[in-house]
Amino acid sequence: MEYRSFGRTGVKVSSLCLGCMMFGGKTPAAESYDIIDRALDAGINFIDTANVYSIGRSEEVTGEALKRNGKRQRLVLATKVHGKMGEDVNDLGNTRRHIIEQCEASLRRLQTDYIDLYQIHRPSPDIPIDETLRALDDLIRAGKVRYIGSSTFAAWQLVESLWVAKELGLNRFVCEQPPYNLLDRRIERELAPACQKYGLGVLPYFPLANGFLTGKYRPGEPPPEGTRLAAMQGRGAEQTLTDANYEMLGKLESFARERGHSMLDLAIGWLASQPFVSSVIAGATKPEQIEQNVAAAAWKLTAEEMAEVGKITRGQ
């Protein structure tokens, strides 16, 4: 397993991060425990969840697993705040009230005294960023949070947060977690350069583009039952299941096959080969998928291979 500097912090994280979104929901607790144990045995030291995943159940299962195996201290444990967690009008967003309340709730569910990385799950344009940052800074000073980050922020929002933190003498975001994969390269326009410029680690999620990049979907055929894109029919799946994307997928599959690799290897290995990526967030619904993901992250594409993939995915 390769370990990399987490942005500008100096903390070392595995090049693969275990995403726990399905734990306690689609993935039962017992299987989730096995997956976490397998991940730790494989050298993964970075786990990412969120309070909103299964409305707290993912955090509970993650906390239970870490209590069972006694390896909490080895991990960089990350969670998030923003989503709606109750029926009250104030049970969501990036206000001071909601952040502090939900941090306490996450600590209880995770059965830990501190959160290594506490991330703002989505920006809240209606909440001044200084209110959000002051609340997060207080949590760091209280020892309940060690680092803070953002998720799905635009480049300008990220830079604004850095400026406000500097002006007010507050702890700043150390990472950004965006959707990023071979189908969706939008962050390369502004967000990734901003992160490189200011030393923020990038933690891409959806590395397989909702499973499309595994090759399980085929043109002219409906999405396999039980897959994520099948569940998204009528809610954005059509934007992925296009003729152009299928054509690109065929070229990528040929590229990977010629080099003795699978499409999974290429999807994760390409992300792990990006110089601005600290760790690739990949989920698992079965323990054996951990080894597959770890092997995929170990593929280091050459500069020539990265250029060739770039031509395929940009249609050049």
Side-chain angles (χ1 to χ4, degrees), residues 54-93:
S54 298
I55 312 300
R57 185 56 183 150
S58 173
E59 288 185 327
E60 289 176 349
V61 169
T62 300
E64 291 162 5
L66 297 181
K67 184 176 182 179
R68 286 160 58 98
N69 62 35
K71 297 178 180 179
R72 165 67 183 96
Q73 301 303 318
R74 288 177 46 189
L75 290 175
V76 176
L77 180 59
T79 191
K80 312 181 197 73
V81 61
H82 169 84
K84 189 171 180 61
M85 292 296 291
E87 297 303 319
D88 189 80
V89 66
N90 290 309
D91 286 340
L92 79 166

Side-chain angles (χ1 to χ4, degrees), residues 19-21 30 36 62 65 87 93-94 102 104 142 151 153 164 170 195-196 199 216 220 246 286 290 299 302 310 312:
C20 303
M21 183 170 67
I36 289 178
T62 300
E87 297 303 319
N94 301 337
Q102 287 304 310
E104 296 291 350
S151 177
F153 273 47
V164 170
L170 305 173
C195 288
Q196 285 186 289
K216 68 176 66 173
Y246 277 122
K286 299 177 182 178
I290 293 296
W299 183 13
T302 66
I312 293 172

